[in-house]
Amino acid sequence: MTMLNMRARLGLFAAPLLVAVLASCGPTPQLRVHDAVVKLNPVDSNPSAMYFTIRGGPKDVYLMSVTSRSALRTEMHESKVDPKTGAMTMRPLTRVFIPADGKVEFKRGGKHVMVWGVNLVGRRLGEMETQFLFSNNERILVKARVEEMDGREPDEKTGHNNH
């Protein structure tokens, strides 16, 4: 058997094995934030709400804070219905667990970020840069859409929609 024939036979054997090994190697999950939106409160002195989804990376982490230079203050909270009274309660969160390769949604009626004092720049641009800080010291910058509670864009001149 020639060296060329031996290599060809070895290639026929190795190729399916290589394909099987490569197929089992999916992409490594990456920590990411998407679909971020700030819903402006129609009463400027009251806090607005921010919603988004976080996809976990290769390891468990905690979301430690969400901040923006376009807001005076932000706080993470969670709303829940009290099973005894049926009343909606809200409590501040100091951190939120993000499981590896999992998904955590910040949405109406659940976890959310309260946002005080969204500035005119964010309102006029219809977006604000937001920083998410995680327990592994990873910082993710996300542009969050800024819109009225009903989903309309804020008026470009005043930052409000005639309310």
Side-chain angles (χ1 to χ4, degrees):
M1 185 181 302
T2 68
M3 186 62 114
L4 189 59
N5 273 346
M6 207 154 85
R7 283 187 181 166
R9 285 182 185 228
L10 185 59
L12 288 174
F13 172 75
L17 184 59
L18 183 60
V19 168
V21 168
L22 291 176
S24 67
C25 297
T28 303
Q30 272 193 311
L31 183 61
R32 63 189 191 277
V33 179
H34 57 90
D35 299 329
V37 62
V38 174
K39 298 287 191 170
L40 294 172
N41 193 311
V43 179
D44 284 338
S45 59
N46 291 344
S48 297
M50 181 180 201
Y51 307 110
F52 49 88
T53 301
I54 299 177
R55 297 273 181 185
K59 295 183 178 182
D60 294 345
V61 294
Y62 286 91
L63 173 63
M64 303 305 289
S65 67
V66 179
T67 58
S68 175
R69 286 185 275 171
S70 296
L72 291 176
R73 188 174 93 197
T74 58
E75 290 179 9
M76 295 188 293
H77 286 93
E78 183 171 28
S79 298
K80 287 186 175 182
V81 175
D82 184 314
K84 294 178 185 173
T85 65
M88 182 69 83
T89 61
M90 186 169 48
R91 67 181 180 95
L93 300 170
T94 56
R95 63 187 189 165
V96 175
F97 179 70
I98 311 297
D101 203 21
K103 177 173 109 172
V104 176
E105 291 182 296
F106 279 62
K107 59 186 180 181
R108 192 178 309 243
K111 292 176 186 64
H112 59 280
V113 174
M114 294 179 72
V115 182
W116 283 268
V118 176
N119 67 21
L120 276 178
V121 174
R123 292 170 185 262
R124 287 184 178 164
L125 291 176
E127 66 181 24
M128 56 190 259
E129 189 171 272
T130 310
Q131 178 177 269
F132 293 76
L133 174 63
F134 295 89
S135 57
N136 62 354
N137 283 326
E138 188 168 344
R139 296 168 197 271
I140 297 177
L141 294 176
V142 173
K143 289 197 189 265
R145 284 188 336 270
V146 175
E147 55 187 45
E148 299 291 337
M149 286 280 184
D150 62 6
R152 293 180 294 158
E153 289 185 21
D155 179 68
E156 288 184 11
K157 291 184 177 78
T158 64
H160 301 287
N161 271 327
N162 301 327
H163 54 263

